């Protein structure tokens, strides 16, 4: 197994999922803070992230844990409403101070920070003004990005702008399975997507303009990966077409090209423009210039793939999975080849250095009689996925891998019902216990993957 000598081995989290401290430190309210209060059964057992892992108070302990586990890079996100409680306007110095000490702690322990600006904490005040539908959203986000650059880029070099627009637009506003549980027409969600992409581009501009040092700036979308059913060239071509095409299942937002072509090429895919013609927002050349502001690195969160072959009609055909296929506690199929074909297809098309910004397995972990967490399936899962990634690394420029997640946390609609962590969290006592997979991952990091 061969990875670059400077391969980045990390773990990822996001703010609402781990922080807690919901009403503390001058924080404002965001969409999830507000909408989980409804107790409408949309979140597993009506749980909420008000306390979650209490990382807001325990971040020093968590950084020490990372150090003990040999983790070299930490991808975390900032809650916009800790920095600017109403999304625009006054800056909250207490929020700045919290992230300053987290960053200082990371740096002091030789852990490289990778900062994500937006992992879904849309300030409530901005949502009331239409949120992603409001044409001012890109400027509001740009203002926030400027503050982040001014305050943190002296110590943080690596940034991701937005995490998974497929989810914060698609799951939240198209499928209605994430807060605020809406199912809006395509014309509205396409407008949101355009504003979100502009917000990304404006953030890149602001980060760059106010940086205290040269930065690596990227983007962190997601998608299921189309996997060729066989090695035949026609099946590979079918998978590539399906991966970058209009989704054959689910809502329009579950796709790659709509979200990534504009960022890299400065234009939306023609096929989509034709297909969604009647629902498109106004798109100008200036917009596309903003959206395609050059980025340095390309992040992709990859969990799973789906089989595709070339159909008899010369079009990609989605295949059903084999009965009894291996799957996670979230019923996601185990498809290690997603970490081969995903980065390969992305690199072939976009030619940017690639980071796997999230990958991991939901398990029903518990503390065993000996006091440990024996999560052998997570070890097996990760070994298989990293094996595929190392194959991709022979053909594409793969720079790093972030395990999702550093620790068990509030998994959005799944509440605390799914555990993805390398570290087990007892949500009653807040005790952290590294799982077997955490010690295994430490060895992977130490040997740069050679031990797998
Ligand atoms: C990704 C998100 O979609 O998948 C993470 O970026 C999330 O925030 C992870 O936790 C797992 O998904 P879920 O729906 O099981 O929480």
């Amino acid at each position: 197994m061969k990875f670059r000598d400077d391969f980045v081995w990390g773990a990822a989290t996001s703010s609402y999922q781990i922080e807690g401290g919901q009403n503390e430190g001058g924080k404002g309210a965001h969409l999830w803070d507000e909408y989980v209060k409804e107790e409408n059964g949309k979140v597993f057992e009506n749980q909420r992230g008000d306390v979650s892992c209490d990382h807001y108070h325990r971040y020093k302990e968590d950084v020490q844990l990372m150090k003990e586990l040999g983790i070299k890079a930490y991808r975390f996100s900032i809650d916009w409403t800790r920095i600017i409680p109403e999304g625009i306007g006054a800056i909250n110095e207490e929020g700045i101070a919290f992230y300053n000490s987290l960053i200082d702690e990371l740096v002091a322990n030789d852990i490289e920070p990778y900062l994500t600006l937006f992992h879904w904490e849309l300030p409530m005040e901005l949502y009331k003004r239409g949120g992603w539908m409001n044409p001012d959203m890109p400027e509001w986000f740009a203002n926030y990005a400027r503050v982040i650059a001014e305050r943190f880029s002296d110590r943080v070099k690596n940034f991701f702008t937005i995490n998974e627009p497929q989810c914060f637009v698609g799951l939240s506003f198209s499928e209605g399975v994430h807060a605020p549980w809406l199912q809006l027409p395509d014309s509205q969600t396409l407008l949101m997507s355009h504003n979100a992409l502009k917000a990304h581009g404006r953030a890149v501009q602001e980060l760059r303009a106010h940086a205290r040092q040269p930065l690596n700036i990227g983007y962190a979308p997601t998608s299921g990966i189309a996997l060729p059913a066989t090695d035949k060239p026609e099946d590979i071509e079918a998978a590539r077409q399906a991966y970058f095409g209009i989704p054959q299942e689910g809502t329009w937002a579950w796709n790659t090209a709509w979200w990534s072509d504009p960022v890299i090429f400065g234009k939306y895919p023609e096929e989509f423009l034709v297909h969604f013609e009647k629902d498109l927002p106004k798109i100008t050349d200036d917009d596309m210039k903003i959206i395609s502001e050059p980025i340095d690195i390309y992040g992709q969160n990859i969990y799973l793939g789906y089989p595709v072959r070339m159909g008899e009609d010369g079009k990609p055909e989605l295949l059903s999975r084999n009965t009894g296929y291996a799957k996670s506690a979230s019923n996601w199929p185990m498809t290690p080849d997603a970490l081969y074909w995903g980065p390969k297809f992305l690199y072939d098309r976009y030619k940017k250095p690639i980071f796997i910004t999230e990958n991991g397995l939901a398990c029903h972990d518990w503390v065993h009689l000996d006091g440990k967490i024996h999560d052998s399936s997570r070890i097996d899962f990760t070994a298989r996925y990293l094996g595929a990634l190392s194959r991709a690394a022979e053909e594409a420029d793969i720079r790093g891998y972030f395990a999702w997640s550093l620790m068990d946390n509030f998994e959005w609609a799944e509440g605390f019902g799914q555990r993805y962590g390398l570290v087990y969290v007892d949500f009653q006592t807040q005790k952290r216990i590294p799982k077997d997979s955490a010690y295994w991952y430490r060895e992977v990091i130490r040997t740069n993957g050679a031990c797998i």
Side-chain angles (χ1 to χ4, degrees):
M1 192 149 315
K2 186 87 187 106
F3 292 99
R4 315 160 47 104
D5 291 341
D6 60 354
F7 193 79
V8 175
W9 292 103
T13 63
S14 89
S15 42
Y16 182 61
Q17 293 185 270
I18 63 163
E19 281 179 8
Q22 198 224 8
N23 289 317
E24 291 177 65
K27 180 179 134 40
H30 56 65
L31 203 59
W32 279 86
D33 284 328
E34 287 304 302
Y35 276 82
V36 289
K37 288 184 190 157
E38 283 180 358
E39 304 214 343
N40 52 11
K42 303 268 189 199
V43 175
F44 175 71
E45 296 191 347
N46 290 316
Q47 291 165 342
R48 23 213 276 204
D50 300 6
V51 178
S52 195
C53 308
D54 194 31
H55 173 77
Y56 184 70
H57 297 111
R58 293 167 196 263
Y59 64 95
K60 287 193 179 162
E61 180 192 340
D62 292 336
V63 173
Q64 283 314 307
L65 254 177
M66 279 190 255
K67 190 177 179 191
E68 185 194 320
L69 296 173
I71 287 165
K72 301 274 187 261
Y74 178 46
R75 175 175 177 245
F76 65 101
S77 74
I78 293 224
D79 179 342
W80 187 345
T81 66
R82 280 199 196 284
I83 304 293
I84 309 175
E86 304 207 329
I88 44 171
I91 293 177
N92 173 36
E93 292 299 334
E94 264 189 273
I96 302 267
F98 167 67
Y99 292 111
N100 263 335
S101 10
L102 170 63
I103 292 165
D104 287 346
E105 203 65 21
L106 290 167
V107 173
N109 287 285
D110 287 327
I111 299 168
E112 185 79 34
Y114 282 71
L115 188 161
T116 302
L117 270 70
F118 185 77
H119 199 125
W120 314 350
E121 289 84 12
L122 178 62
M124 222 24 224
E125 289 306 314
L126 301 186
Y127 181 59
K128 286 183 199 155
R129 299 184 189 199
W132 293 109
M133 219 107 82
N134 190 315
D136 290 333
M137 211 34 208
E139 281 318 299
W140 296 336
F141 193 64
N143 173 60
Y144 163 58
R146 177 180 50 74
V147 176
I148 298 291
E150 285 173 350
R151 302 303 189 94
F152 304 128
S153 72
D154 55 337
R155 288 149 295 152
V156 181
K157 290 201 285 286
N158 307 288
F159 291 85
F160 295 103
T161 55
I162 54 179
N163 182 73
E164 300 189 344
Q166 285 88 348
C167 297
F168 73 76
V169 173
L171 289 182
S172 289
F173 295 100
S174 195
E175 289 187 51
V177 298
H178 275 185
W181 342 112
L182 293 178
Q183 289 178 294
L184 302 178
D186 291 351
S187 56
Q188 293 185 22
T189 50
L190 285 162
L191 169 63
M192 289 184 189
S193 76
H194 188 61
N195 287 336
L197 286 166
K198 273 173 78 179
H200 153 81
R202 286 289 293 116
V204 178
Q205 293 174 340
E206 291 298 306
L207 287 170
R208 202 84 79 193
H210 300 278
R212 303 283 171 83
Q213 60 177 323
L215 304 182
N216 294 318
I217 306 179
Y219 173 47
T222 188
S223 59
I225 310 294
L227 305 173
T230 72
D231 284 344
K232 287 190 213 143
E234 58 270 32
D235 286 340
I236 296 174
E237 179 51 27
R240 197 187 296 270
Q241 283 178 20
Y243 187 42
F244 294 107
I246 295 174
Q248 295 184 26
E249 288 177 350
T251 72
W252 73 264
W254 283 120
N255 80 88
T256 298
W258 178 266
W259 297 106
S260 295
D261 278 19
V263 168
I264 309 291
F265 303 141
K267 53 181 192 212
Y268 286 109
E270 199 54 43
E271 184 195 8
F272 283 67
L273 292 176
V274 172
H275 187 89
F276 292 105
E277 196 186 354
K278 69 172 184 15
D279 290 321
L280 291 178
K282 183 164 174 275
I283 298 169
T284 69
D285 289 350
D286 285 349
D287 294 345
M288 298 318 292
K289 255 180 98 174
I290 292 170
I291 292 172
S292 57
E293 184 69 29
I295 55 174
D296 311 290
I297 53 180
Y298 183 98
Q300 187 87 8
N301 299 347
I302 298 180
Y303 289 87
L304 55 90
Y306 52 94
V308 176
R309 74 170 170 214
M310 189 59 92
E312 277 170 16
D313 58 358
K315 293 193 185 129
E317 181 189 344
L318 307 196
L319 301 175
S320 50
R321 296 180 199 284
N322 294 334
T323 305
Y325 64 88
K327 63 179 181 55
S328 72
S330 51
N331 288 329
W332 290 1
M334 185 176 70
T335 46
D337 282 351
L339 272 200
Y340 170 71
W341 290 107
K344 182 177 159 45
F345 284 157
L346 290 165
Y347 186 72
D348 287 352
R349 188 170 176 107
Y350 299 128
K351 309 266 184 299
K352 287 278 172 198
I354 290 182
F355 280 80
I356 303 305
T357 30
E358 283 178 28
N359 169 250
L361 180 72
C363 295
H364 295 302
D365 300 312
W366 62 84
V367 183
H368 289 205
L369 284 172
D370 61 0
K372 298 181 179 162
I373 293 96
H374 302 299
D375 58 339
S376 54
S377 47
R378 183 171 287 106
I379 294 175
D380 188 70
F381 171 99
T382 315
R384 289 171 190 260
Y385 274 67
L386 285 175
L389 186 64
S390 78
R391 280 197 289 131
E394 288 169 20
E395 298 167 37
D397 183 356
I398 316 284
R399 300 285 174 96
Y401 173 89
F402 290 88
W404 183 270
S405 173
L406 172 64
M407 54 189 159
D408 298 334
N409 62 56
F410 177 79
E411 290 290 345
W412 309 110
E414 312 303 335
F416 299 99
Q418 290 180 1
R419 293 179 180 270
Y420 275 89
L422 295 168
V423 175
Y424 180 90
V425 178
D426 178 329
F427 294 103
Q428 272 65 54
T429 61
Q430 291 298 344
K431 186 170 174 205
R432 276 89 160 121
I433 309 173
K435 302 176 191 174
D436 288 357
S437 61
Y439 296 115
W440 174 83
Y441 190 50
R442 178 167 69 185
E443 196 55 12
V444 171
I445 298 172
R446 194 185 65 75
T447 61
N448 200 27
C451 73
I452 299 171

